[in-house]
């Protein structure tokens, strides 16, 4: 059914598409795929800017995108990094409102673009797609609420453990082994993601390392998902 239509060279972000387009008939899936077009961005290129009108959404195929906001005081806060399978700009593309964040390619990025006009047309033509899209948006909102709760209510080492579990995306380690994790950004950016200073994040990393949940090297972390989950105190899905 849908998987046959999705397993093509045109779109490589199969998991995210299945999450959005589940239970859509094959002919509808083909119409959805035909509405996307491939776009690329070079390192450092701005994809869209906070407060500008939202005219499209993207599904990342390859590369990494940094999403950030700037406060009225001019302070920049990193929200997350988007990699293969992640969707960007869907809210503004849906309602036509201003972008809630700035997106910048921090690696060469290849993505599939769906314009706001095509999105609205597809939702009118295919009610099943429209319903599934709204459900998916609600799930994303719940995830965002959980992330905000983690920043507001939990100690830094717990927030950090939850962030690492989220980044691992459910990967499991063989018995007695840790999973290598390349974050792809600096410790200062990590501090912005979890809502702490760089020095305090370094201390929190030390707490996780002393507990055996991670091991640090110069360029990566080696993570124990089970021990991270114990510290996080909850299941975290990627």
């Amino acid at each position: 059914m849908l998987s046959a239509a999705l397993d093509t060279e045109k779109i490589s972000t199969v998991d995210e598409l299945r999450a959005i387009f589940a239970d859509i008939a094959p002919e509808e899936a083909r119409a959805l795929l035909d509405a996307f077009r491939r776009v690329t961005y070079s390192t450092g290129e701005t994809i869209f800017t906070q407060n500008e009108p939202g005219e499209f959404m993207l599904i990342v195929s390859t590369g990494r995108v940094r999403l950030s906001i700037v406060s009225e005081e001019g302070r920049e806060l990193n929200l997350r990094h988007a990699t293969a399978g992640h969707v960007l700009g869907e809210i503004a593309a849906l309602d036509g409102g201003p972008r809630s964040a700035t997106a910048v390619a921090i690696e060469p990025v290849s993505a599939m673009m769906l314009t706001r006009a095509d999105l609205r047309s597809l939702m009118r033509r295919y009610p099943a797609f429209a319903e599934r899209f709204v459900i998916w948006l609600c799930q994303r909102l719940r995830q965002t609420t959980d992330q905000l709760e983690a920043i507001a209510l939990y100690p830094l080492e717990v927030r950090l453990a939850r962030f690492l579990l989220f980044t691992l995306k459910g990967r499991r380690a063989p018995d007695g082994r840790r999973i290598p994790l390349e974050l792809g950004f600096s410790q200062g950016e990590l501090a912005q993601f979890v809502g702490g200073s760089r020095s305090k994040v370094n201390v929190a990393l030390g707490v996780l390392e002393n507990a055996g949940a991670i091991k640090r090297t110069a360029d990566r972390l080696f993570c124990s998902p089970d021990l991270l989950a114990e510290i996080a105190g909850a299941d975290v899905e990627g």
Side-chain angles (χ1 to χ4, degrees):
M1 285 187 58
L2 179 58
S3 60
L6 290 176
D7 290 332
T8 65
E9 194 172 90
K10 183 176 182 182
I11 292 185
S12 62
T13 54
V14 176
D15 290 340
E16 192 73 30
L17 286 171
R18 283 192 179 122
I20 304 172
F21 303 149
D23 302 324
I24 301 295
E27 62 272 17
E28 295 180 351
R30 284 191 290 272
L32 295 172
L33 294 177
D34 287 343
F36 284 93
R37 66 182 180 90
R38 185 169 295 282
V39 292
T40 58
Y41 301 93
S42 58
T43 300
E45 186 173 355
T46 298
I47 298 172
F48 53 76
T49 303
Q50 183 178 350
N51 294 324
E52 75 178 17
E55 298 298 333
F56 62 88
M57 58 175 278
L58 295 176
I59 302 176
V60 179
S61 298
T62 60
R64 186 183 295 269
V65 178
R66 181 178 63 226
L67 290 154
S68 63
I69 60 173
V70 177
S71 69
E72 293 182 357
E73 296 77 20
R75 180 185 176 191
E76 184 178 27
L77 174 64
N78 288 330
L79 299 177
R80 64 185 177 99
H81 281 198
T83 56
H86 289 166
V87 179
L88 306 177
E90 68 280 2
I91 294 177
L94 184 62
D95 68 5
R99 297 289 191 191
S100 58
T102 294
V104 176
I106 57 175
E107 298 173 0
V109 169
S110 175
M112 297 305 300
M113 175 185 287
L114 182 65
T115 66
R116 180 170 183 262
D118 285 339
L119 174 61
R120 291 173 62 84
S121 175
L122 289 166
M123 294 181 77
R124 287 193 296 267
R125 289 168 57 194
Y126 302 117
F129 163 69
E131 180 180 0
R132 191 69 186 96
F133 192 83
V134 170
I135 291 172
W136 175 80
L137 281 176
C138 292
Q139 293 170 343
R140 288 286 294 268
L141 180 58
R142 291 179 188 274
Q143 291 175 355
T144 300
T145 301
D146 289 343
Q147 291 172 353
L148 292 173
E149 179 188 30
I151 290 177
L153 300 179
Y154 293 98
L156 188 55
E157 61 270 18
V158 174
R159 303 195 311 252
L160 184 56
R162 288 185 169 213
F163 178 83
L164 294 176
L165 284 171
F166 183 82
T167 306
L168 285 170
K169 297 181 179 179
R171 293 164 58 194
R172 306 302 302 171
D175 291 342
R177 304 285 297 276
R178 295 186 179 96
I179 299 175
L181 178 63
E182 296 184 22
L183 292 175
F185 46 83
S186 68
Q187 190 167 304
E189 289 179 299
L190 176 60
Q192 291 185 328
F193 281 121
V194 297
S197 67
R198 181 174 178 177
S199 60
K200 289 183 178 179
V201 166
N202 190 54
V203 171
L205 286 169
V207 171
L208 298 185
E209 191 164 26
N210 290 337
I214 64 169
K215 181 177 176 59
R216 287 181 284 183
T217 65
D219 61 346
R220 69 184 68 182
L221 299 176
F222 290 83
C223 301
S224 168
D226 290 339
L227 291 176
L228 284 172
E230 288 182 15
I231 295 168
D235 293 331
V236 179
E237 296 181 358

